[in-house]
Amino acid sequence: MALYENPKEVHILLNMVSDLIIEFVKNQQSIVKEFVPNHWPGIWMPDRFGISVSDDLMAVISPDLYEEFALPYNNKISDAFNGVFINCCGDFRHNLDNLAKHKKLRGVDFKASEISYPAVIEKLSGKALLVVRWGLNKDIHFKSCLDFLKHVLDNKKDDTSLYIFVEKGTDNNTGRYMENSLEEVCDFMHSNNIFK
């Protein structure tokens, strides 16, 4: 409600929070020799090449509100750290245009069973590293890890930079894990010329 009723105060608060994040992380960088400001996903990022930000708000807020109340502060943080890596759970398809407006967007971490993977590819392929995970397996359903991998590889473009989390997923109806053996996954990846 504050975004509608007290927008000025919300902007003051968001600016203060952004300044605090910048100051705190810069202090960490001054102390830690090889500091990588990437809390999620747990993958390596080059030093001084951005900072990761969890932004689940993107999935539940309108594009107009996101553009006013999130994008400027993510961009402020991106300016301070030479880029931003966004993590978002949920279906943020309605904010893909806003996601593409981030300055120095280094990467996007998302779940292929929660958002239309082809829509993400269409908007962001060639613009950022796409870190794709299985997800909750609820709205978009994969029968197995190989089914998930096939979906990811069949929908990528030539200029798509991917980091694929190969993980076991669950069937939300039964709660049963659906996994493939490491050998099956490797065979699938080899047969699709992933290892060159």
Side-chain angles (χ1 to χ4, degrees):
M1 293 303 296
L3 302 182
Y4 295 102
E5 296 178 357
N6 301 93
K8 180 181 175 186
E9 289 80 1
V10 171
H11 281 295
I12 290 170
L13 175 63
L14 290 171
N15 204 46
M16 290 170 61
V17 169
S18 300
D19 288 343
L20 176 65
I21 290 169
I22 291 166
E23 181 182 354
F24 183 78
V25 173
K26 285 191 173 185
N27 281 333
Q28 286 179 305
Q29 285 178 326
S30 71
I31 296 168
V32 179
K33 185 177 179 183
E34 292 183 32
F35 181 75
V36 179
N38 187 10
H39 71 284
W40 193 259
I43 62 174
W44 177 83
M45 283 176 62
D47 189 32
R48 308 297 193 263
F49 195 69
I51 183 172
S52 68
V53 176
S54 287
D55 195 356
D56 293 341
L57 180 70
M58 192 182 336
V60 296
I61 194 171
S62 73
D64 289 343
L65 289 177
Y66 188 89
E67 187 171 27
E68 180 179 352
F69 291 100
L71 184 61
Y73 304 101
N74 283 348
N75 278 336
K76 182 176 185 174
I77 291 169
S78 180
D79 284 340
F81 296 105
N82 190 31
V84 66
F85 191 115
I86 303 285
N87 160 268
C88 185
C89 299
D91 187 351
F92 55 90
R93 189 175 351 178
H94 58 285
N95 269 311
L96 277 170
D97 287 334
N98 281 323
L99 186 56
K101 292 177 186 176
H102 281 81
K103 294 180 183 176
K104 295 184 181 178
L105 183 63
R106 303 299 188 195
V108 179
D109 175 62
F110 65 98
K111 287 65 177 174
S113 66
E114 297 169 28
I115 183 172
S116 166
Y117 172 70
V120 175
I121 290 288
E122 188 61 36
K123 186 57 70 175
L124 298 174
S125 187
K127 296 180 178 138
L129 173 68
L130 302 180
V131 178
V132 61
R133 300 171 186 274
W134 184 318
L136 295 174
N137 209 35
K138 180 181 169 194
D139 300 324
I140 301 167
H141 190 76
F142 300 114
K143 297 173 186 165
S144 68
C145 180
L146 297 184
D147 188 35
F148 159 71
L149 289 171
K150 183 173 181 353
H151 176 72
V152 170
L153 297 175
D154 284 352
N155 287 285
K156 77 177 189 67
K157 293 182 173 181
D158 288 341
D159 65 345
T160 303
S161 296
L162 285 174
Y163 186 108
I164 306 170
F165 272 85
V166 179
E167 55 198 350
K168 60 184 175 181
T170 59
D171 182 323
N172 277 350
N173 295 323
T174 65
R176 183 178 64 83
Y177 280 110
M178 301 179 301
E179 48 187 315
N180 294 99
S181 71
L182 182 59
E183 291 78 15
E184 288 175 304
V185 171
C186 287
D187 287 347
F188 178 84
M189 299 297 257
H190 277 291
S191 69
N192 283 278
N193 296 317
I194 299 305
F195 303 119
K196 295 179 182 177

